[in-house]
């Protein structure tokens, strides 16, 4: 690959909130105005990624599968290998065949090399619960609300890379990507209250205090931890000033996109994307 960041997104024209599988979702509150705003917001996010130098592939919408707009949950992708997800909730299981076909077509085009299935009986919701930390050279894997703990050994076997497992406790921060975001250069933006005491201790052991940026409840509820990071740039939902100031003081520059319609479904910029070009070897200096 060229070293250009490469993301999958999904067209938002079939997005809505029609069921409730997390506390953010309220089907009764969803309006046609939200649907129109969502289509615009998805395009704005795509432009923000492209302006940051990324290439974006857009998967077509499928009526009846509103959460297809969150391709982070489709698979774990590293070193051109794709471990397909299995969704915990029946409401999202129809996405599995659509994402499988999408990856098969990426494979035909030579854009991924291998597609792997999860064994029966396990759930795993993709890059939402398996975040590659390029600086530390390992996955951080979340489990509990959505992904099975048992899926972690499958990730280890599939990718042959080290893994640090973190148990999630909050029904509001049900995927690791809602509360945990490693940033280029080794800093970590995260929301401690989403984790068990043991997982919090693991994070503190592995990430020195000077590298930890702890989100407040307000910042986490604004879905700002669910961010896309490209080098020094961080692309996220509208951020409270408190967070903007802290990230800038740490040398990062923020691009904010109004993703309110997607927050009504419990997601924002990271989970609206799936990075396809990640490699486990350290990237060449010019890559991002
Ligand atoms: N409504 C979706 C769900 O509950 C939102 C998924 C957001 N994805 C994420 N990786 N945080 O499954």
């Amino acid at each position: 690959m060229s070293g250009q960041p490469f993301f999958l997104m999904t067209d938002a024209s079939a997005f809505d909130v029609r069921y409730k599988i997390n506390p953010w979702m309220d089907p009764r509150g969803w309006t046609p105005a939200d649907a129109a705003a969502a289509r615009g917001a998805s395009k704005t996010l795509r432009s923000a990624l492209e302006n940051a130098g990324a290439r974006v592939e857009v998967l077509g919408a499928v009526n009846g599968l509103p959460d297809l707009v969150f391709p982070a949950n489709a698979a774990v992708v590293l070193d051109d290998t794709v471990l397909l997800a299995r969704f915990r909730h029946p409401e999202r299981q129809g996405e599995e065949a659509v994402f499988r076909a999408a990856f098969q077509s990426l494979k035909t085009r030579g854009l991924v090399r291998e597609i792997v299935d999860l064994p029966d009986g396990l759930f795993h919701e993709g890059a939402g619960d398996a975040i590659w930390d390029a600086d530390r050279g390992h996955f951080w894997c979340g489990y509990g609300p959505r992904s099975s703990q048992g899926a972690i050994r499958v990730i280890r076997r599939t990718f042959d890379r080290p893994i640090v497992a973190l148990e999630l406790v909050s029904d509001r921060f049900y995927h690791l990507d809602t509360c945990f975001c490693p940033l280029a250069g080794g800093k970590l933006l995260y929301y401690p209250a989403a984790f068990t005491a043991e997982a919090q201790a693991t994070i503190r052991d592995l990430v020195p205090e000077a590298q930890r940026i702890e989100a407040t409840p307000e910042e986490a509820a604004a879905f700002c931890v669910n961010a896309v990071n490209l080098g020094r740039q961080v692309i996220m939902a509208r951020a409270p000033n408190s967070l903007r100031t802290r990230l800038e003081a740490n040398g990062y520059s923020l691009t904010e996109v109004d993703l309110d319609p997607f927050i009504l479904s419990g997601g924002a910029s990271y989970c609206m994307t799936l990075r396809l070009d990640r490699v486990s070897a350290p990237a060449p200096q010019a890559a991002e």
Side-chain angles (χ1 to χ4, degrees):
M1 295 218 168
S2 61
Q4 181 184 28
F6 182 28
F7 291 92
L8 182 67
M9 287 185 69
T10 305
D11 182 292
S13 52
F15 173 67
D16 60 26
V17 176
R18 62 176 63 190
Y19 51 72
K20 181 178 177 73
I21 55 172
N22 70 53
W24 307 94
M25 301 176 86
D26 176 10
R28 290 159 313 175
W30 182 258
T31 66
D34 293 323
R39 289 193 288 275
S42 171
K43 291 194 177 110
T44 308
L45 177 61
R46 177 184 177 175
S47 302
L49 293 170
E50 289 172 343
N51 291 340
R55 164 181 171 206
V56 180
E57 168 98 10
V58 181
L59 178 65
V62 176
N63 285 328
L65 297 176
D67 282 343
L68 203 68
V69 295
F70 299 113
N73 300 127
V76 183
V77 184
L78 184 73
D79 294 332
D80 298 334
T81 298
V82 177
L83 176 64
L84 292 172
R86 182 171 304 112
F87 288 91
R88 168 86 56 179
H89 294 290
E91 289 86 342
R92 294 198 65 183
Q93 287 166 358
E95 296 174 40
E96 291 168 19
V98 179
F99 284 128
R100 176 187 299 275
F103 284 112
Q104 265 153 2
S105 113
L106 288 168
K107 185 175 171 188
T108 307
R109 291 161 59 201
L111 296 170
V112 299
R113 188 173 40 86
E114 199 190 347
I115 300 175
V116 180
D117 276 296
L118 208 60
D120 286 346
L122 294 174
F123 297 107
H124 195 271
E125 299 198 355
D129 269 331
I131 300 179
W132 178 250
D133 186 326
D135 287 272
R136 294 179 183 82
H138 66 76
F139 277 112
W140 298 93
C141 287
Y143 67 93
R146 295 291 181 90
S147 297
S148 320
Q149 187 176 12
I152 291 171
R153 64 171 183 276
V154 182
I155 297 175
R156 185 175 290 119
R157 199 162 67 214
T158 304
F159 298 99
D160 195 23
R161 295 286 97 197
I163 291 182
V164 177
L166 300 171
E167 186 174 4
L168 299 167
V169 279
S170 158
D171 60 349
R172 297 169 76 223
F173 299 98
Y174 52 90
H175 282 137
L176 184 65
D177 68 8
T178 63
C179 52
F180 192 91
C181 182
L183 299 172
K187 304 268 168 153
L188 170 69
L189 172 63
Y190 81 118
Y191 179 53
F195 297 90
T196 60
E198 197 189 341
Q200 290 183 34
T202 303
I203 295 167
R204 287 195 303 267
D205 278 353
L206 294 175
V207 184
E209 190 175 358
Q211 294 191 310
R212 299 196 301 260
I213 305 172
E214 297 193 354
T216 63
E218 184 208 0
E219 292 160 358
F223 270 80
C224 291
V225 184
N226 192 263
V228 175
N229 172 223
L230 290 170
R232 305 312 287 181
Q233 300 194 55
V234 190
I235 299 166
M236 63 168 62
R238 287 186 297 125
N241 283 336
S242 53
L243 183 61
R244 168 180 277 279
T245 309
R246 260 166 28 260
L247 285 172
E248 287 176 353
N250 277 280
Y252 297 97
S253 88
L254 253 65
T255 301
E256 295 173 48
V257 181
D258 180 347
L259 297 174
D260 285 359
F262 297 96
I263 294 175
L264 295 175
S265 187
S269 68
Y270 178 94
C271 52
M272 293 172 67
T273 66
L274 176 64
R275 187 130 181 213
L276 299 174
D277 64 304
R278 284 236 180 259
V279 288
S280 58
Q285 217 51 3
E288 291 194 339

